[in-house]
């Protein structure tokens, strides 16, 4: 079967997590760059990546990569791409996004316009048509410029992969599902270990953890724009990927995953979201403040995204709040804590020294992922069969 190059964008700083995910799916990674991972696969890989990847923002089919410092070079580079191999005569095609970093061509609207014109010129000669109805399947294009190199991709996902379909109700500043999943995967937590999020909001951390524990593929209950690409992808490949995902689910497991929030309405929303995700039986949600964070067992995990203060009056309350978090954590017996926040003084008020402070760019927002790993639990003695 013919192979292609696929681009999977992710949050800056989390490329290694996505790379490992792609390799675990069985595909070769050809390039790791800031904010994206390129891998090799067939059309089956396109379907499986969309359904199984937890940390990718979308999956794109790379159709071109070339140098362009002028609009003429951009036009010719786009025109040289064999678009007729991807887009049928009735296909709807447009540049949904153009970005430029450290490049001579920097105007997104101009780039989008030139790309569309070049595509039309190419397809006019190949299909012997002067006008395109564009009333068929959608083929959105994304183009990124970095240091004058253009990378052109067909977006196979459509709506971003962080939209799993379960989060109907959200808090004021919810963490995205893909970022939450990536942060959990940066920790040693596994489904048989305790996990508590004392600032759970709409429940994203506990729900993503429960989906991992039950081996529920994040994209199995949503749709993708490439499902309509019948000219390239047999429908059977999508059915096979969903069937594979269904066969892997283990939702009859026992877990100790808990989510707390001081706002009862948020707890109610979290429960509703967990129900939509099919994991409400695996999570215990409760309305309680972080000061009441307690657990009788050892070696658990606190994984959370506490408030970081967007308004002045909120910022004034942060030192006391982060002291409270540190005190609650110190009461737990041999636990680990992993905390993401944009509050730069977090470590100072927590009262405990982070083993590692990883910077992550969540959109334009620079955040800090503080890691306080506790001791590993003792190994269980091996039982002779």
């Amino acid at each position: 079967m013919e192979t292609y190059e696929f681009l999977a964008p992710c949050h800056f700083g989390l490329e290694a997590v996505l790379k490992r995910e792609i390799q675990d799916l069985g595909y070769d990674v050809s390039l790791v760059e800031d904010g994206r991972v390129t891998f090799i696969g067939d059309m089956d890989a396109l379907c499986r990546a969309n359904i199984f990847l937890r940390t990718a923002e979308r999956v794109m089919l790379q159709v071109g990569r070339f140098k362009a410092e002028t609009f003429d070079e951009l036009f010719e580079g786009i025109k040289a791409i064999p678009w007729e191999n991807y887009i049928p005569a009735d296909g709807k095609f447009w540049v949904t996004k153009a970005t430029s970093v450290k490049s001579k061509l920097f105007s997104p609207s101009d780039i989008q316009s030139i790309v569309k014109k070049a595509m039309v010129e190419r397809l006019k000669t190949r299909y012997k048509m002067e006008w395109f109805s564009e009333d068929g399947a959608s083929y959105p294009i994304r183009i990124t410029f970095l240091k004058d190199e253009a990378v052109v991709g067909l977006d196979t996902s459509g709506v971003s992969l962080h939209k799993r379909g379960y989060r109907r109700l959200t808090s004021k500043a919810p963490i995205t599902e893909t970022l939450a999943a990536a942060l959990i995967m940066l920790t040693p937590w596994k489904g048989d270990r305790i996990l508590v999020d004392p600032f759970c909001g709409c429940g994203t951390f506990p729900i993503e953890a429960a989906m991992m524990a039950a081996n529920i593929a994040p994209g199995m209950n949503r749709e993708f724009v490439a499902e309509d690409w019948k000219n390239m992808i047999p429908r059977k490949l999508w059915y096979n990927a969903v069937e594979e995902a269904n066969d892997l689910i283990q939702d009859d497991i026992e877990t100790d995953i808990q989510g707390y929030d001081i706002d009862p309405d948020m707890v109610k929303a979290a429960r509703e979201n967990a129900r939509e995700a099919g994991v409400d039986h695996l999570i215990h949600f409760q309305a309680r403040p972080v000061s009441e964070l307690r657990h009788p067992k050892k070696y658990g995990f606190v994984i959370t995204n506490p408030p970081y203060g967007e308004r002045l009056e909120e910022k004034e309350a942060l030192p006391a709040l982060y002291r409270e978090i540190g005190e609650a954590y110190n009461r737990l017996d041999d636990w680990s804590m992993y905390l993401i926040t944009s509050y730069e003084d977090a470590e100072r008020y927590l009262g405990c020294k982070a083993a590692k402070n990883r910077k992550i760019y969540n959109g334009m927002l620079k955040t800090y992922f503080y890691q306080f790993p506790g001791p590993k639990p003792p190994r269980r003695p091996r039982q002779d069969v």
Side-chain angles (χ1 to χ4, degrees), residues 207-227:
I207 292 170
E208 289 294 318
M211 289 176 71
M212 288 180 199
N215 216 6
I216 298 173
M220 64 180 297
N221 291 316
R222 53 157 286 170
E223 295 176 342
F224 308 96
V225 71
E227 288 181 60

Side-chain angles (χ1 to χ4, degrees), residues 156-359:
T156 75
S157 305
V159 175
S160 173
L161 293 181
H162 81 266
K163 298 204 172 177
R164 320 283 206 216
Y166 67 75
R167 204 162 73 174
R168 306 294 172 89
L169 302 163
T170 64
S171 52
K172 187 174 63 175
I175 190 169
T176 64
E177 295 89 327
T178 46
L179 180 55
L183 297 180
I184 294 169
M185 292 166 74
L186 276 174
T187 78
W189 180 83
K190 300 292 181 215
D192 60 348
R193 305 282 293 276
I194 305 159
L195 185 150
V196 178
D197 179 0
F199 299 94
C200 74
C202 56
T204 310
F205 271 128
I207 292 170
E208 289 294 318
M211 289 176 71
M212 288 180 199
N215 216 6
I216 298 173
M220 64 180 297
N221 291 316
R222 53 157 286 170
E223 295 176 342
F224 308 96
V225 71
E227 288 181 60
D228 292 328
W229 296 359
K230 297 179 179 67
N231 60 315
M232 279 196 286
I233 310 167
R235 196 73 177 170
K236 189 174 187 298
L237 296 184
W238 292 103
Y239 292 143
N240 290 346
V242 172
E243 191 176 325
E244 179 190 357
N246 267 312
D247 290 344
L248 291 171
I249 294 174
Q250 296 176 304
D251 64 352
D252 57 349
I253 55 168
E254 287 188 17
T255 59
D256 190 347
I257 300 173
Q258 302 179 31
Y260 307 152
D261 201 281
I262 199 168
D263 183 351
D265 288 336
M266 279 315 345
V267 172
K268 186 179 177 184
R271 285 198 187 106
E272 192 62 40
N273 290 337
R275 195 173 298 115
E276 287 286 339
V279 294
D280 52 310
H281 62 295
L282 299 176
I283 308 170
H284 174 68
F285 288 109
Q286 192 175 351
R288 64 155 82 169
V290 68
S291 59
E292 292 180 17
L293 172 57
R294 287 174 180 80
H295 201 290
K297 294 184 180 177
K298 299 175 72 161
Y299 308 118
F301 287 75
V302 173
I303 304 179
T304 192
N305 174 32
Y308 50 83
E310 292 179 316
R311 296 192 297 270
L312 183 61
E313 62 270 22
E314 291 173 337
K315 281 187 162 69
E316 290 171 352
L318 291 183
L321 175 64
Y322 279 77
R323 279 195 202 98
E324 210 166 33
I325 296 169
E327 289 165 3
Y329 170 61
N330 287 329
R331 284 196 302 269
L332 297 165
D333 193 357
D334 289 337
W335 278 48
S336 303
M337 181 165 69
Y338 296 85
L339 184 148
I340 183 168
T341 179
S342 294
Y343 182 44
E344 294 185 4
D345 291 329
E347 193 173 4
R348 174 184 166 194
Y349 293 111
L350 285 168
C352 35
K353 181 72 177 171
K356 198 171 184 184
N357 170 11
R358 180 190 290 256
K359 286 182 183 176

Side-chain angles (χ1 to χ4, degrees), residues 35 39 41 44 72 94 147-148 153 182 255 296 320 328 331 371 379-380:
F39 64 100
D44 185 49
D72 284 342
W94 74 104
K147 296 179 181 176
D148 298 317
T255 59
R331 284 196 302 269
Q371 304 180 49
R379 278 188 170 183
R380 293 171 184 164

